[in-house]
Amino acid sequence: MSKFDDAYLDLCERIINNGTLCPNRTGTDSKKLTHEVLRFDLEQEFPILTSKSVGFKSSVLEMLWIYQVQSNDVRWLQDRGISIWDEWEADENGNYKSGNTEKNLGKEFAHTIGTAYGWIVKKYKLTQNLINMIKNNPTDRRMIMSLWQDEYMPTAVLPSCVWNTQWDVTDDKLNCIVTQRSCDVPLGLPYNVSQYATLVHLIAHVTGLKAGKMTFVINNAHIYSNQFDGIREQISRKDQCLAAPKLWINPEIKDFFEFDNSKELKDIKLIDYQHLGKISMPVSV
């Protein structure tokens, strides 16, 4: 069994059995645990679930959309067959409405998620600045990328869930702490862990380092009530889980901004990824 499957299914069991049932803005109650921490050694294992299938290409392309392309345009994802942001896309006039949330972002934000995620990365040159610091001042203790910028919250359709990463170089290894304010454990967490593990590997690759530790800190780890059956099915697969795959990165690419971000994702692949099949669970918007 992969170490990630073991830790993930343990978290799911604890939420189901011990979590607090809470209402929330989506209208679908969820059970939650607070201040959950997951730790990974990226030298030992690439973290992706085998207890169910996880769309690796989609997760990595979403990460590249944020940190490499630095875009907020949902159509970029749609062109690559990725629909995970469709529910949050502003219309052709820049209007966004979901539940009790209604915003007019202006026509310049048509078909986008507003001033969130990649828009923030681009405005503050977060990726470029991080890579420059790692290369030129690896002992710096201020290597942080923050997607949480208060002045741009009113024009973001959704405040960033993963909102902060802190980086460290020790013994030629690149380490990262990922901070998440809110986490849909069945749908979001498998994606987030795999995509941020890939981000650490890619940045380590282009800065001449090895990927080291990655720690996820989740303020609100929740499972929606309409996902309980799917999670119970996944937990029942625990004894069947498989070994983790290996991550392959094209050794010829030395610049983070040159990794292929087409639908084929030619420069980033999983080797020997086997899983126990898909489990469908609804998303709450």
Side-chain angles (χ1 to χ4, degrees):
M1 179 193 299
S2 76
K3 292 181 175 63
F4 183 28
D5 276 299
D6 193 24
Y8 176 83
L9 295 177
D10 174 71
L11 172 61
C12 290
E13 284 189 281
R14 289 189 290 108
I15 294 174
I16 291 289
N17 294 331
N18 305 316
T20 301
L21 188 65
C22 297
N24 58 81
R25 63 168 183 80
T26 70
T28 303
D29 288 351
S30 64
K31 279 191 172 183
K32 73 170 185 178
L33 291 177
T34 60
H35 296 194
E36 288 297 318
V37 179
L38 296 173
R39 292 181 172 88
F40 306 90
D41 186 339
L42 299 180
E43 275 197 304
Q44 293 185 3
E45 178 180 290
F46 182 81
I48 190 167
L49 294 179
T50 70
S51 51
K52 73 168 186 178
S53 63
V54 176
F56 174 73
K57 282 187 178 180
S58 296
S59 70
V60 174
L61 284 169
E62 185 198 21
M63 179 273 291
L64 292 175
W65 177 61
I66 296 169
Y67 291 105
Q68 184 202 59
V69 184
Q70 302 178 8
S71 175
N72 59 357
D73 194 326
V74 178
R75 293 170 296 183
W76 188 94
L77 295 171
Q78 293 167 347
D79 288 345
R80 288 153 179 80
I82 301 170
S83 59
I84 54 178
W85 278 100
D86 287 4
E87 299 293 336
W88 289 273
E89 178 185 358
D91 67 17
E92 64 275 8
N93 294 311
N95 294 312
Y96 170 75
K97 184 177 181 180
S98 176
N100 296 323
T101 302
E102 188 170 352
K103 297 181 179 183
N104 177 258
L105 308 177
K107 285 190 175 182
E108 67 270 28
F109 289 110
H111 304 292
T112 77
I113 58 171
T115 54
Y117 287 97
W119 190 93
I120 295 291
V121 175
K122 183 177 182 179
K123 179 174 180 61
Y124 293 100
K125 299 181 179 178
L126 296 181
T127 310
Q128 295 94 318
N129 290 340
L130 174 66
I131 291 172
N132 286 337
M133 281 191 284
I134 292 170
K135 286 182 175 180
N136 299 314
N137 189 14
T139 61
D140 197 313
R141 295 177 294 190
R142 302 173 184 176
M143 293 190 286
I144 295 172
M145 292 198 290
S146 176
L147 303 181
W148 197 275
Q149 304 294 334
D150 284 344
E151 64 181 304
Y152 297 112
M153 290 299 163
T155 47
V157 300
L158 181 70
S160 298
C161 295
V162 172
W163 68 274
N164 173 283
T165 53
Q166 300 176 64
W167 302 77
D168 165 84
V169 177
T170 301
D171 297 331
D172 295 324
K173 295 177 186 178
L174 182 63
N175 309 298
C176 181
I177 296 176
V178 181
T179 311
Q180 191 161 10
R181 65 169 179 84
S182 175
C183 183
D184 180 333
V185 171
L187 296 179
L189 188 57
Y191 257 54
N192 296 145
V193 167
S194 293
Q195 65 190 174
Y196 277 87
T198 303
L199 178 62
V200 176
H201 274 282
L202 294 182
I203 293 181
H205 177 82
V206 300
T207 56
L209 301 168
K210 294 180 180 179
K213 298 176 182 177
M214 182 178 74
T215 302
F216 256 68
V217 180
I218 307 169
N219 184 52
N220 182 314
H222 55 265
I223 299 174
Y224 289 101
S225 57
N226 57 5
Q227 299 169 332
F228 289 170
D229 289 344
I231 283 295
R232 289 189 180 103
E233 179 184 349
Q234 191 171 351
I235 291 170
S236 74
R237 300 177 176 185
K238 188 171 185 177
D239 292 339
Q240 307 168 54
C241 290
L242 305 164
K246 303 293 183 183
L247 180 68
W248 177 85
I249 299 171
N250 186 344
E252 302 300 318
I253 306 299
K254 305 299 182 183
D255 184 337
F256 179 79
F257 296 95
E258 291 183 1
F259 285 112
D260 175 56
N261 58 34
S262 70
K263 189 174 183 179
E264 289 73 29
L265 201 64
K266 298 173 185 176
D267 297 321
I268 308 161
K269 300 182 184 299
L270 281 186
I271 308 299
D272 297 327
Y273 179 38
Q274 300 180 45
H275 54 76
L276 298 176
K278 185 178 181 180
I279 299 177
S280 295
M281 284 179 269
V283 60
S284 294
V285 180

